[in-house]
Amino acid sequence: MKNIHSMNFLIHLVQCRVSVITILVITLSFILAFTSNIHAQDNLSSLSGRVIDKDGKPIPDLKLAVKPVKISRGFEMGLLAPVSSWQTAVTDKDGHFTITDIMPVTSRLIVYPEHGSGYGISSLKFGDITIFSTAFRRSAPTWFGKPKIGIAPGEHLENVVVSVIKKPRHISGQVLLEDGTPLRNTEIYLTIKRRRIKRDFFFFSSGGGGGSSSRDVTTDAEGYFVSYAIGNDPEGSVVVKYEGITAKTKWFKVKKGQSKENLILRLRGLEKHLINQTERVRARQAMWIGNPENNHAYKQIACKSWEDAKAKAEEENAYLVAINDEAEQKWIESTFNERKFYWIGLHLPTKGNAWKWHSGEPLTYTNWGPSGKPDNQLNSSKEIPIALIFSTKKWMTIDQTNPIKQIVKHAILEKDVY
């Protein structure tokens, strides 16, 4: 086995919200870089080794895949490459595998399909070093604690021992669109319903109990999901909600200590619903709404930036909204009540200049958020725009370094004449 040139362990403390409880979890990610291979002819890498169970016995006919993933601030944000480009291998009768042509990017080694298989990776052993997974927890994201690897360009990592375990008691299934296409790599709202029914001597039901648990989960590259919040009740049902469309299973029996797998949930009417929803949004964005209190007209638009919003406003002989009193603020809150950030026509003035709106009106009313009024004694000539917070519609400055800037994609326009 090649010598390890360097190894960095990155431990991130992140906050993960599960239902209404916020817990502190630890995400362990690691990047392994290996010594240069003088025989490497290109930047593609390879990985080979053996898959065993908890007793050390080989696992044959198990499909593995290298899944390229985006990592941001300790969170797995999605894919770096489509599923068709993933490199895969199937173990032989002795559990051996070789995966070639791996791109040198952050990836996860998975049992494929990730959520549709009854196995999960419990540890990876590189020489004398073993990295354990902390996945399969009831309340954690389904990618939580799963090791990430990054193999240096052109390197060939050998003799990796992959230990797998049968997944703890769980419910899994696949979400399909109406035409049978998997809903891939998509966040859904999953509810697991549980019930127990008492039956009398004649087998008629006579009451019972149960419960349910709900959370956001993300389907994998083939539309599979998994949940470990199965509970101990003998009957269950699964409900999936996505973009306002719901799919659910019939009640099924779950034997004690066993899992329920291979459920199929089909989202019927989703495409038509999304088309109608898009048309409603477009119609709303094209429509000016009159404010009877001041006879001004307002509408929301989609935009790439505050500068883009200003340009679009001027194209319509309008301006980014100027909020001049509490009554106008309240009207805007009730009229544009979607959970979005909106650019408004105010920016932080540079040093020596007065506050004023895009319309040219002076600032006579403010509605700052928790951070309060920003400092306007700046030496920079750069305009720092202000937006309405998506939930409260309070005001906040959003400079170039603010990560929220990337998700402010709408603005409110205003016209004087209605």
Side-chain angles (χ1 to χ4, degrees):
M1 181 176 179
K2 298 179 176 61
N3 294 326
I4 297 178
H5 178 61
S6 65
M7 178 174 292
N8 296 316
F9 291 92
L10 303 178
I11 299 178
H12 303 283
L13 289 178
V14 298
Q15 283 191 329
C16 174
R17 182 169 295 276
V18 181
S19 301
V20 296
I21 302 174
T22 301
I23 62 173
L24 197 63
V25 298
I26 298 178
T27 299
L28 174 64
S29 64
F30 59 92
I31 300 174
L32 304 178
F34 302 90
T35 51
S36 299
N37 181 354
I38 59 174
H39 302 293
Q41 300 298 314
D42 51 40
N43 287 331
L44 298 180
S45 306
S46 67
L47 177 70
S48 62
R50 188 166 179 250
V51 179
I52 59 174
D53 65 15
K54 64 179 182 179
D55 298 318
K57 296 179 180 179
I59 304 293
D61 301 319
L62 192 68
K63 189 172 185 179
L64 302 176
V66 175
K67 175 184 178 181
V69 293
K70 301 176 189 175
I71 304 295
S72 177
R73 299 184 180 183
F75 287 92
E76 187 170 312
M77 305 302 293
L79 298 179
L80 280 173
V83 64
S84 58
S85 68
W86 297 5
Q87 301 306 312
T88 62
V90 177
T91 57
D92 65 15
K93 63 183 179 62
D94 297 314
H96 291 108
F97 71 93
T98 298
I99 304 177
T100 60
D101 298 334
I102 300 172
M103 295 295 293
V105 296
T106 304
S107 305
R108 278 205 287 111
L109 182 67
I110 65 169
V111 180
Y112 188 89
E114 187 172 12
H115 299 332
S117 170
Y119 284 98
I121 294 176
S122 61
S123 70
L124 299 175
K125 185 177 181 181
F126 305 86
D128 296 330
I129 298 173
T130 302
I131 307 299
F132 294 92
S133 171
T134 54
F136 316 126
R137 297 188 179 184
R138 285 168 57 96
S139 58
T142 50
W143 52 265
F144 168 80
K146 296 181 180 179
K148 290 87 179 172
I149 61 173
I151 307 177
E155 292 306 322
H156 306 288
L157 182 58
E158 301 170 345
N159 301 319
V160 178
V161 179
V162 181
S163 295
V164 298
I165 59 172
K166 289 190 175 182
K167 289 180 179 176
R169 193 165 185 252
H170 62 276
I171 288 179
S172 66
Q174 189 179 32
V175 182
L176 304 176
L177 302 181
E178 192 162 4
D179 63 359
T181 303
L183 186 68
R184 310 176 193 271
N185 305 303
T186 302
E187 186 176 273
I188 58 175
Y189 191 68
L190 179 72
T191 299
I192 308 294
K193 294 184 177 181
R194 306 179 299 274
R195 74 178 182 182
R196 48 190 179 277
I197 299 177
K198 296 179 181 178
R199 302 188 183 278
D200 61 20
F201 181 77
F202 297 101
F203 302 102
F204 292 103
S205 61
S206 57
S212 66
S213 59
S214 301
R215 56 175 292 202
D216 294 321
V217 302
T218 301
T219 60
D220 71 5
E222 290 301 318
Y224 287 96
F225 65 87
V226 64
S227 174
Y228 301 100
I230 186 171
N232 296 313
D233 297 306
E235 294 189 348
S237 174
V238 175
V239 181
V240 165
K241 189 173 183 179
Y242 173 68
E243 293 289 352
I245 298 295
T246 299
K248 60 183 178 180
T249 68
K250 296 179 179 179
W251 287 97
F252 50 79
K253 295 186 181 300
V254 188
K255 293 183 179 180
K256 187 175 182 179
Q258 293 188 355
S259 299
K260 183 66 177 180
E261 299 177 326
N262 302 317
L263 296 170
I264 298 293
L265 293 102
R266 198 176 295 265
L267 295 167
R268 301 187 185 279
L270 177 62
E271 184 177 356
K272 183 178 180 181
H273 173 76
L274 293 179
I275 291 173
N276 292 339
Q277 189 178 56
T278 301
E279 290 176 349
R280 287 195 297 270
V281 170
R282 287 176 179 171
R284 174 75 183 274
Q285 292 180 348
M287 180 177 65
W288 288 91
I289 302 171
N291 181 352
E293 296 296 325
N294 60 12
N295 290 325
H296 287 196
Y298 304 74
K299 80 170 182 178
Q300 64 168 297
I301 62 166
C303 58
K304 297 178 181 178
S305 64
W306 189 69
E307 292 76 15
D308 180 46
K310 281 203 308 179
K312 288 183 175 180
E314 290 162 3
E315 288 174 2
E316 298 203 40
N317 295 317
Y319 47 85
L320 289 179
V321 64
I323 305 173
N324 293 307
D325 53 44
E326 185 178 3
E328 188 173 12
Q329 171 72 35
K330 295 299 183 185
W331 184 86
I332 287 171
E333 291 176 14
S334 62
T335 303
F336 301 97
N337 55 13
E338 292 93 339
R339 294 177 68 83
K340 299 175 182 175
F341 286 90
Y342 291 103
W343 293 120
I344 60 176
L346 193 64
H347 65 83
L348 198 64
T350 54
K351 188 174 182 179
N353 292 315
W355 288 87
K356 66 177 182 179
W357 294 94
H358 179 214
S359 63
E361 299 168 84
L363 181 66
T364 58
Y365 165 80
T366 61
N367 189 39
W368 298 112
S371 58
K373 183 179 179 180
D375 181 9
N376 68 320
Q377 299 302 309
L378 301 178
N379 294 318
S380 172
S381 60
K382 184 74 175 179
E383 294 177 334
I384 299 178
I386 292 169
L388 300 182
I389 300 173
F390 82 109
S391 55
T392 64
K393 297 299 183 282
K394 297 283 187 180
W395 306 359
M396 68 180 297
T397 55
I398 300 181
D399 61 22
Q400 293 291 330
T401 64
N402 194 324
I404 292 176
K405 183 177 185 293
Q406 304 302 318
I407 60 174
V408 187
K409 298 298 183 184
H410 296 85
I412 300 174
L413 308 190
E414 183 178 356
K415 280 185 177 182
D416 291 339
V417 179
Y418 171 57

